[in-house]
Amino acid sequence: MKTNDIIRPTLVLDKEICLHNIEWMAEKAKKHNMRFRPHFKTHQSAEIGDWFRLFGVEAITVSSVRMAEYFITNGWKDVTIAISLNIHEIDVINRLTQSAKINVLIENKETATALAKKAKGRLGVYFKIDTGYHRTGIPSSRTGTIDNILNIIKTNKKLTFKGFLTHTGHTYTARSTNEIFSRHFDALLKLKSLKNQYKKAYPNVEISMGDTPSASICGNFDSVDEIRPGNFVFYDLMQHSLGVCSLSDIAVKMQCPVVAKHVSRNEIVIYGGAIHFSKDTILNTDGKLLYGRIAIKIDGEKVLLDNNNYLSKLSQEHGIIKLTPANFKLINVGDVIEIIPVHSCLTANLMGHYITTEGETIRMIPRY
Amino acid sequence: MKTNDIIRPTLVLDKEICLHNIEWMAEKAKKHNMRFRPHFKTHQSAEIGDWFRLFGVEAITVSSVRMAEYFITNGWKDVTIAISLNIHEIDVINRLTQSAKINVLIENKETATALAKKAKGRLGVYFKIDTGYHRTGIPSSRTGTIDNILNIIKTNKKLTFKGFLTHTGHTYTARSTNEIFSRHFDALLKLKSLKNQYKKAYPNVEISMGDTPSASICGNFDSVDEIRPGNFVFYDLMQHSLGVCSLSDIAVKMQCPVVAKHVSRNEIVIYGGAIHFSKDTILNTDGKLLYGRIAIKIDGEKVLLDNNNYLSKLSQEHGIIKLTPANFKLINVGDVIEIIPVHSCLTANLMGHYITTEGETIRMIPRY
């Protein structure tokens, strides 16, 4: 796509990189005999969802009931709503069960009781298990709690216990790839132990794991029945900084016009701010917070600049890019700069649509 | 509005508080003989924009060309696009000049040259002046640069030099109200000096200032022709923490369902995350980052909980609220909690619409 077509902050998607990421992860899941149930919260797009079908994907994960409704409306028939069930939305969920197989997550008696009372359509039920992230879920050792909830679930024949699901979110704060391995393995052991305890009473009990860092770099998925990574479809600087992907795996980049230069600070101002990128940062090698990495055209070639050049501040609609003096000279007011985002899920959510490198517009779920 | 109607994260707007905030600021501008040109980037809503008309507002500020187009389509006839001009959007701007008086901002020769060449409709031109925030703008001492740009502007009869505009953004990082006063006053002195230098050649030269902290608490606007605050329409915790408003001035609150409780951590999990609130934080009194303050119903009355109770972590769709043990006991799975947001501009931008306390839906500019 020609950058002289760009007049505003634009989220550009490289479909080829994206398809490669999907294919790679689909192959990996297959190799490990796991169901590939990718999380669609990163791209939130029916069209991009359809690209997954090319690689045999039939089951998906979403992070809200309205996201489930959007994808079910677009033909998906097997959906896990991977957030602790919000019983206020049971009416919508009941309606959706007429169009698709839906799994919900529970972690407490109150919600299980309300669900047993109000579920009218067939639903699969997974237990959300805390395997070390300590945000949500039942600690894996609490089989007493699990048994109590199972007894409640049994009272409604529409509900089927499916297994145990975890999100190893603490891989995102790992300080080394070793830590990703150990957090994943530790979580896996806990789920495996649960599976073994419940296998006799429930021969089809499953364990489901799902985070991009471990799905990308780990090799041990012994006994894991499905994986649910989402971010890998695009990757981003956060994943790169964890050692989980290379920069060339990142499928989405922002393109932003330069509106000003400030030579005394070696800074340029772009049109592109918090409402485009989000306020997520990673720590740069200089100890400062970084909102994006920079690529510019030098003699017609796209060149990624090193970490001394980065998006350093964001206001609502503007950004400030710090540059080395040499690179500062190379950029002119009116140029369009490429910026690799820190957190592609949040950037995509803000931008609301993509333009592919071929110039096609790809839509997403509406904002509300 | 009845909270049992709420099933999802909802941004609730108290119209009475909002109208009061608008009226108060309009009165203040009038008292100081300043044009009130409020920034509409905080609410981004044609309907809320119309509330400003009740208080005599006829001129507005926006932060993008598409925002200008949205409000002009909804009847506004005097619009300042208060970001350094993005020359790529000149065609749209030219078209809009047929429907409204538009002012643009410049700060460098390149953009001024391009503007002089491409402007087809009548435009007002303000210089963006850096008065201490050091993000954008020409330092106020650089009259040589200003003169050069003025000479370029003169070459196109459609362009009219209007004056000097600043955004005292460094009031947002003030560590005391004293610092807000001094930063404002320092900026005012710089602009006043410029006004005096250019008054002879340009008798109608104006100075325009615009940030909510100083507009709210300062009293010295000597020689200031207009103010452009935006956030005051709603206020938020960021403004409250600066000492600029009281909590009861905050016109927007999130309402979020509780999906889980974790007694070992005195934490509750809500449906409501980064894609609802944004990732902006303030520093809490315990030294931790805070994403929101909490209000719950106790015996039918809404009670604001103290700072030991706060929204402490956000994932894409969930939030974790830390509570004191006593308050933890008072909340049940299924309850709907009220959360005061840190940065109302970003939360509103993410949510995309409001529900008033009377249950009315208020729409905003589309996402793209």
Side-chain angles (χ1 to χ4, degrees), chain A residues 8, chain B residues 35 37 58-73 75-86 89-106 115 119-127 153 157-163 165 206 226 228:
Chain A
R8 293 175 175 162
Chain B
R35 179 188 308 116
R37 187 188 279 280
E58 294 179 332
I60 64 171
T61 309
V62 296
S63 55
S64 72
V65 173
R66 52 177 300 265
M67 206 184 291
E69 179 153 30
Y70 170 76
F71 284 110
I72 289 170
T73 304
W76 291 91
K77 301 243 170 268
D78 188 340
V79 180
T80 291
I81 304 174
I83 55 167
S84 295
L85 178 63
N86 170 26
E89 295 186 276
I90 190 61
D91 291 342
V92 184
I93 293 171
N94 277 331
R95 179 166 51 77
L96 293 175
T97 57
Q98 297 168 32
S99 315
K101 291 196 319 184
I102 296 183
N103 300 311
V104 294
L105 252 60
I106 51 176
L115 180 64
K120 295 200 169 70
R122 298 176 58 81
L123 286 171
V125 177
Y126 283 89
F127 282 78
I153 297 299
K157 297 261 177 296
K158 301 279 191 185
L159 304 176
T160 308
F161 166 55
K162 304 282 268 182
L165 178 150
E206 290 190 357
E226 82 175 15
R228 311 176 326 274

Side-chain angles (χ1 to χ4, degrees), chain B residues 28-285:
Chain B
K28 183 167 185 182
K30 191 171 171 187
K31 179 176 124 177
H32 290 274
N33 291 315
M34 300 185 290
R35 179 188 308 116
F36 182 33
R37 187 188 279 280
H39 210 316
F40 274 13
K41 71 177 176 179
T42 302
H43 61 79
Q44 300 193 64
S45 162
E47 187 171 340
I48 294 174
D50 286 345
W51 302 348
F52 286 71
R53 297 188 199 272
L54 301 170
F55 304 100
V57 172
E58 294 179 332
I60 64 171
T61 309
V62 296
S63 55
S64 72
V65 173
R66 52 177 300 265
M67 206 184 291
E69 179 153 30
Y70 170 76
F71 284 110
I72 289 170
T73 304
N74 282 283
W76 291 91
K77 301 243 170 268
D78 188 340
V79 180
T80 291
I81 304 174
I83 55 167
S84 295
L85 178 63
N86 170 26
I87 198 62
H88 293 283
E89 295 186 276
I90 190 61
D91 291 342
V92 184
I93 293 171
N94 277 331
R95 179 166 51 77
L96 293 175
T97 57
Q98 297 168 32
S99 315
K101 291 196 319 184
I102 296 183
N103 300 311
V104 294
L105 252 60
I106 51 176
E107 58 168 292
N108 53 58
K109 273 177 27 197
E110 296 89 337
T111 309
T113 304
L115 180 64
K117 188 169 157 198
K118 300 183 182 186
K120 295 200 169 70
R122 298 176 58 81
L123 286 171
V125 177
Y126 283 89
F127 282 78
K128 183 86 192 279
I129 302 297
D130 179 357
T131 50
Y133 192 30
H134 304 321
R135 296 268 181 116
T136 60
I138 304 166
S140 57
S141 52
R142 297 270 176 87
T143 48
T145 305
I146 292 171
D147 291 338
N148 286 343
I149 296 174
L150 277 170
N151 286 333
I152 297 170
I153 297 299
K154 277 184 198 151
T155 64
N156 184 326
K157 297 261 177 296
K158 301 279 191 185
L159 304 176
T160 308
F161 166 55
K162 304 282 268 182
F164 305 104
L165 178 150
T166 199
H167 174 68
T168 327
H170 48 316
T171 56
Y172 287 78
T173 53
R175 285 155 299 184
S176 66
T177 49
N178 274 351
E179 252 181 41
I180 294 173
F181 287 118
S182 63
R183 288 174 182 190
H184 165 74
F185 191 55
D186 184 62
L188 189 152
L189 285 180
K190 288 174 168 145
L191 286 187
K192 202 176 157 189
S193 164
L194 271 177
K195 187 178 191 179
N196 289 338
Q197 294 177 66
Y198 285 86
K199 222 180 158 82
K200 195 160 178 203
Y202 300 91
N204 297 322
V205 66
E206 290 190 357
I207 57 183
S208 170
M209 300 191 77
D211 63 287
T212 282
S214 57
S216 300
I217 68 171
C218 296
N220 190 335
F221 296 94
D222 174 36
S223 303
V224 180
D225 298 281
E226 82 175 15
I227 51 166
R228 311 176 326 274
N231 177 279
F232 74 96
V233 63
F234 298 151
Y235 284 116
D236 52 37
L237 287 183
M238 202 174 277
Q239 295 304 312
H240 173 253
S241 73
L242 289 170
V244 156
C245 72
S246 56
L247 289 169
S248 58
D249 294 325
I250 299 174
V252 290
K253 319 280 170 61
M254 287 292 294
Q255 297 279 351
C256 296
V258 177
V259 297
K261 291 181 69 169
H262 294 284
V263 64
S264 62
R265 300 190 286 275
N266 284 316
E267 288 180 351
I268 64 172
V269 184
I270 54 162
Y271 174 22
I275 65 167
H276 306 103
F277 289 93
S278 92
K279 296 292 283 282
D280 255 353
T281 56
I282 56 173
L283 207 57
N284 195 14
T285 45

Side-chain angles (χ1 to χ4, degrees), chain A residues 8 86 88-89 334 349 367, chain B residues 7-8 88-89 334 349 367:
Chain A
R8 293 175 175 162
N86 170 27
H88 294 282
E89 295 187 274
N349 180 71
R367 193 165 33 172
Chain B
I7 66 169
R8 294 175 174 163
H88 293 283
E89 295 186 276
N349 180 72
R367 193 166 32 173

Side-chain angles (χ1 to χ4, degrees), chain A residues 107-331:
Chain A
E107 59 167 293
N108 52 58
K109 273 176 28 194
E110 296 88 339
T111 308
T113 304
L115 180 64
K117 189 168 157 196
K118 299 182 182 186
K120 295 201 169 69
R122 299 176 57 82
L123 284 172
V125 177
Y126 282 89
F127 283 78
K128 184 84 192 280
I129 301 297
D130 178 358
T131 50
Y133 193 29
H134 303 320
R135 293 271 182 114
T136 60
I138 303 166
S140 56
S141 52
R142 297 269 174 86
T143 48
T145 306
I146 292 170
D147 290 339
N148 287 342
I149 295 175
L150 276 170
N151 286 334
I152 297 170
I153 295 301
K154 277 183 195 150
T155 65
N156 183 327
K157 297 260 176 298
K158 301 280 190 184
L159 304 176
T160 306
F161 166 56
K162 304 282 269 177
F164 305 104
L165 177 151
T166 198
H167 174 68
T168 325
H170 47 317
T171 57
Y172 288 79
T173 52
R175 283 155 298 183
S176 66
T177 49
N178 274 351
E179 253 180 40
I180 294 173
F181 285 119
S182 62
R183 289 173 183 190
H184 164 75
F185 191 56
D186 182 64
L188 189 152
L189 285 180
K190 288 174 166 144
L191 286 187
K192 201 175 156 189
S193 163
L194 271 177
K195 187 179 191 181
N196 289 338
Q197 294 177 68
Y198 285 85
K199 222 181 158 81
K200 197 164 176 202
Y202 300 91
N204 297 323
V205 67
E206 291 190 356
I207 57 182
S208 170
M209 300 191 76
D211 63 287
T212 281
S214 57
S216 300
I217 68 170
C218 297
N220 189 334
F221 297 94
D222 174 36
S223 302
V224 180
D225 298 283
E226 81 176 16
I227 52 166
R228 311 178 324 277
N231 178 280
F232 74 96
V233 63
F234 298 152
Y235 284 116
D236 51 37
L237 287 183
M238 202 175 277
Q239 296 305 311
H240 173 254
S241 72
L242 290 170
V244 157
C245 73
S246 55
L247 289 169
S248 56
D249 294 325
I250 300 174
V252 291
K253 318 279 170 62
M254 288 290 295
Q255 299 278 353
C256 296
V258 177
V259 297
K261 291 182 70 171
H262 293 285
V263 63
S264 62
R265 301 191 284 277
N266 284 316
E267 289 179 351
I268 64 172
V269 184
I270 55 162
Y271 174 20
I275 66 166
H276 306 103
F277 289 93
S278 94
K279 296 292 284 279
D280 254 353
T281 55
I282 57 172
L283 206 58
N284 196 13
T285 45
D286 64 0
K288 302 267 169 60
L289 295 173
L290 172 158
Y291 293 91
R293 289 277 303 267
I294 316 301
I296 61 173
K297 284 266 172 74
I298 300 180
D299 299 328
E301 286 286 310
K302 193 165 72 176
V303 176
L304 175 72
L305 304 182
D306 70 27
N307 302 62
N308 294 306
N309 305 266
Y310 60 99
L311 185 55
S312 65
K313 298 188 188 82
L314 289 183
S315 62
Q316 186 167 325
E317 302 248 5
H318 289 125
I320 304 290
I321 294 178
K322 262 191 178 340
L323 296 160
T324 58
N327 290 322
F328 179 86
K329 288 195 172 70
L330 299 176
I331 296 170

